[in-house]
Amino acid sequence: MEQPYAIEMLNITKRFPGIVANDNITLQLKKGEIHALLGENGAGKSTLMSVLFGLYRPEEGTIKKDGQVVEIKDPNDANDLGIGMVHQHFKLVECFTVLDNIILGVEPCKGGFLQKAEAREKVMALSDKYGLKVDPDALVEDITVGMQQRTEILKMLYRDNEILIFDEPTAVLTPQEIDELMDIMRGLKAEGKSILFITHKLNEIMAVADRCTVLRKGKYIGTVDVPVTTKEELSKMMVGRDVDFVVHKEEAKPKDVILSVEGITVASKVHSNNNAVKNVSFTVRGGEIVCIAGIDGNGQTELVYGITGLEPVKAGKITLCGQDITHTSIRKRSTMGMSHIPEDRHKHGLVLDYTLEDNMVLQRYFEPQFVSGAGFLKRKAIREYAERLIEQYDVRSGQGPITTARSMSGGNQQKAIVAREIDRDPELLVAVQPTRGLDVGAIEYIHKQIVAQRDAGKGVLLVSLELDEVMALSDRILVMYEGEIVGELDPKTTTVEEMGLYMAGAKRKGA
Ligand SMILES: Nc1ncnc2c1ncn2[C@@H]1O[C@H](COP(=O)(O)OP(=O)(O)OP(=O)(O)O)[C@@H](O)[C@H]1O
Ligand SMILES: [Mg+2]
């Protein structure tokens, strides 16, 4: 009889200091299926996949490929067995081109000479076949996250792998790119490849997966057939309780203007003689959540950079609580009451090699509660403060406050940033994709906290690519298209379709 499983991970246990990340987990991947892996932030999903890819050696358990026990000591072994992985946080070489990244380590050579033309042909053929559009000669540091993601996928396909691991590929993609990726996955499955797919988005699991395995706090909970399950059942298996998918909020009671943006223009980083933000004006009042919606890459990032001070503005004026902050430093804006949950958690959110507790006080270690008159840090006060946030926001890690941020799971890194930024009780909270990579339970909690900020009379500027989030949270929606605000919509009366027309540039205010 033919062996039905491509991969079997049997009774896998993997420990880290202070935590059993995988506690006796069994996962069986059938040939030619799309198998989703679901679990809360920190449940052990990335760890389990890293074991399969040879990045971690488990303390216990065995792995079988086509029924035979195999040893996977490192990613080269995994590669030899036809196992490829697209990582949650990309592992591309920033200063290399897309093409060089794809062929890195498996460069075709003849007589000691690199056959780059041959490699390019193969890459372009794959790119065409799967609709993975990339610019092979662009440097990775210059391309969008969507293209980085496609580069990672091409890298995996270039190696002719038959077992494909996707670790949260959709967390950084736009809704359009997600649809494309779902199609690519279906195509790969039709060719007989076996796919492991990690995502927190239950709609995606319902749309493409055949089966789903659920983990909770390092333990195996169960495997279900997707066609006969529901989103509610999946989320209950995952968090152990019912999750409320609806955001409950009262009518907004907007007060004084907190943030005022008048005619600002911000240069584009990629095309320096172009402006990414063109003469944009709007206000955010206390007690309201204003959302900037739009397709990724229409100037939202640069607009936020201008407001938070990460990039200078070329023209225009920004005021915070009545004070001109157009040219003030990031630190000054922060002490004046601006909080920022950044788009890129690794670049602007955390110091990855600092401990969790030090990350929690990054913008306020100089406050009297954390530093003595003589300039010494009050370690005990910092510890207690971090412990309170960890508890309140359920930030999970191996060693609590002294955990190195780098070793934390992606979602828990995000929760730490959100906790820090909201707890500073800012006048203005600038939240960019605040729930990116979070599990449904954590999203429910963070949404409640954002609404609580609003109800406490604070201003919230939300930037989100997720239309569900935009519709659920915002009191006013501003749609950005090609660097301009092209429409202002009321979430109570608009529809996703109408918003889509503005986002695509097919409709604009006054027109
Ligand atoms: N290299 C490491 N060193 C120490 N602890 C680690 C390491 N990698 C993971 N952990 C811990 O193991 C646990 C599981 O982490 P893992 O990254 O597998 O979670 P996850 O299910 O992928 O979560 P997320 O949805 O947030 O990505 C976490 O508590 C994390 O802090
Ligand atoms: Mg993970």
Side-chain angles (χ1 to χ4, degrees):
M1 199 185 89
E2 208 207 340
Q3 162 56 237
Y5 295 116
I7 290 287
E8 290 170 274
M9 300 184 78
L10 305 168
N11 310 98
I12 303 290
T13 294
K14 174 69 201 160
R15 298 186 183 89
F16 290 118
I19 195 162
V20 188
N22 291 164
D23 188 354
N24 191 25
I25 293 179
T26 289
L27 174 81
Q28 292 171 307
L29 174 67
K30 286 186 188 162
K31 280 185 187 157
E33 76 166 341
I34 300 181
H35 194 123
L37 189 55
L38 179 68
E40 291 173 290
N41 298 126
K45 305 177 297 293
S46 295
T47 303
L48 188 67
M49 293 302 101
S50 300
V51 165
L52 181 57
F53 192 59
L55 288 166
Y56 295 138
R57 299 297 304 271
E59 277 82 35
E60 285 157 44
T62 43
I63 300 178
K64 287 187 184 171
K65 165 116 197 293
D66 300 323
Q68 304 291 315
V69 174
V70 290
E71 282 274 317
I72 307 177
K73 293 183 294 300
D74 54 45
N76 290 331
D77 285 350
N79 209 20
D80 292 343
L81 290 167
I83 301 171
M85 178 162 177
V86 172
H87 299 271
Q88 181 170 8
H89 297 115
F90 305 143
K91 296 192 186 301
L92 298 172
V93 184
E94 298 250 316
C95 57
F96 276 22
T97 63
V98 167
L99 180 63
D100 288 343
N101 265 285
I102 293 172
I103 65 174
L104 186 63
V106 288
E107 297 87 347
C109 287
K110 268 195 199 110
F113 290 101
L114 178 61
Q115 304 295 310
K116 212 157 176 179
E118 196 179 296
R120 176 186 296 267
E121 221 167 87
K122 181 169 173 190
V123 168
M124 294 326 285
L126 283 170
S127 161
D128 272 355
K129 178 168 172 201
Y130 294 103
L132 291 159
K133 285 182 224 69
V134 293
D135 172 357
D137 302 310
L139 294 180
V140 165
E141 60 191 6
D142 293 333
I143 63 179
T144 63
V145 282
M147 199 182 285
Q148 289 182 33
Q149 180 73 272
R150 294 194 284 276
T151 305
E152 283 269 1
I153 297 170
L154 281 172
K155 187 172 167 184
M156 180 165 74
L157 297 175
Y158 185 81
R159 286 156 179 74
D160 299 319
N161 293 309
E162 48 186 286
I163 315 286
L164 311 177
I165 307 169
F166 288 88
D167 191 352
E168 281 194 52
T170 59
V172 295
L173 298 183
T174 63
Q176 292 78 1
E177 289 170 329
I178 292 173
D179 289 341
E180 287 166 21
L181 182 64
M182 301 275 125
D183 279 341
I184 291 168
M185 286 173 45
R186 289 189 193 100
L188 291 166
K189 173 185 152 171
E191 282 173 24
K193 309 225 185 238
S194 312
I195 299 177
L196 281 157
F197 174 39
I198 302 181
T199 180
H200 289 293
K201 297 177 193 165
L202 303 173
N203 289 335
E204 295 171 4
I205 296 181
M206 300 307 289
V208 293
D210 299 297
R211 296 195 302 151
C212 176
T213 289
V214 182
L215 308 182
R216 193 193 309 154
K217 298 194 176 159
K219 293 204 166 60
Y220 174 79
I221 301 295
T223 302
V224 293
D225 285 327
V226 171
V228 296
T229 191
T230 60
K231 271 166 63 176
E232 285 71 22
E233 192 185 333
L234 286 175
S235 63
K236 192 162 183 180
M237 278 176 84
M238 171 177 153
V239 296
R241 64 174 171 88
D242 287 316
V243 175
D244 196 348
F245 289 103
V246 183
V247 180
H248 300 277
K249 60 184 179 53
E250 307 281 309
E251 190 74 14
K253 298 183 193 69
K255 300 188 182 65
D256 296 341
V257 171
I258 302 244
L259 173 75
S260 162
V261 173
E262 294 161 64
I264 70 165
T265 294
V266 184
S268 158
K269 279 213 105 163
V270 198
H271 312 283
S272 49
N273 39 15
N274 249 341
N275 292 323
V277 178
K278 302 165 189 159
N279 192 20
V280 163
S281 303
F282 65 92
T283 57
V284 178
R285 294 174 178 273
E288 69 169 350
I289 300 173
V290 176
C291 178
I292 307 278
I295 295 172
D296 196 22
N298 275 281
Q300 302 97 311
T301 304
E302 292 83 356
L303 175 66
V304 168
Y305 281 7
I307 293 170
T308 55
L310 283 166
E311 288 281 335
V313 298
K314 274 165 72 178
K317 187 176 170 194
I318 308 167
T319 46
L320 180 66
C321 302
Q323 294 195 55
D324 187 340
I325 57 159
T326 318
H327 303 293
T328 50
S329 67
I330 297 176
R331 174 151 158 181
K332 186 83 202 301
R333 294 181 209 216
S334 159
T335 54
M336 283 171 71
M338 186 187 291
S339 260
H340 178 203
I341 299 168
E343 179 177 358
D344 188 332
R345 63 172 85 117
H346 282 178
K347 213 180 209 166
H348 299 127
L350 295 166
V351 181
L352 287 171
D353 290 316
Y354 280 14
T355 58
L356 177 54
E357 63 185 10
D358 286 350
N359 271 291
M360 288 299 201
V361 294
L362 278 186
Q363 304 106 321
R364 46 196 309 195
Y365 63 89
F366 45 81
E367 289 176 11
Q369 57 170 322
F370 299 126
V371 72
S372 71
F376 291 105
L377 288 175
K378 295 180 182 168
R379 299 289 352 172
K380 189 160 168 281
I382 293 174
R383 173 81 37 102
E384 283 167 5
Y385 176 69
E387 278 170 347
R388 178 171 70 71
L389 289 188
I390 289 168
E391 160 87 34
Q392 198 176 326
Y393 286 80
D394 191 22
V395 182
R396 299 181 193 174
S397 63
Q399 297 168 291
I402 60 163
T403 306
T404 310
R406 191 184 293 284
S407 78
M408 290 166 57
S409 83
N412 282 294
Q413 292 174 347
Q414 182 70 12
K415 282 202 258 175
I417 295 170
V418 173
R420 178 185 73 203
E421 297 306 313
I422 291 185
D423 196 77
R424 289 165 58 211
D425 200 18
E427 291 307 318
L428 176 74
L429 172 65
V430 181
V432 187
Q433 298 274 78
T435 57
R436 176 181 275 182
L438 296 190
D439 66 58
V440 288
I443 291 175
E444 182 189 16
Y445 183 76
I446 300 303
H447 280 172
K448 274 191 194 147
Q449 299 311 307
I450 291 176
V451 172
Q453 282 291 305
R454 176 197 85 155
D455 291 345
K458 314 296 177 155
V460 179
L461 179 65
L462 174 74
V463 180
S464 180
L465 301 175
E466 304 219 16
L467 300 187
D468 292 343
E469 180 164 78
V470 172
M471 290 299 246
L473 277 182
S474 53
D475 298 311
R476 276 197 295 138
I477 301 170
L478 304 174
V479 184
M480 213 167 165
Y481 175 72
E482 294 194 341
E484 293 175 275
I485 305 277
V486 293
E488 174 165 347
L489 301 168
D490 179 348
K492 287 194 290 298
T493 56
T494 190
T495 58
V496 171
E497 288 72 29
E498 185 181 24
M499 195 158 56
L501 289 177
Y502 281 95
M503 285 168 55
K507 202 171 169 182
R508 55 193 301 152
K509 65 184 164 196

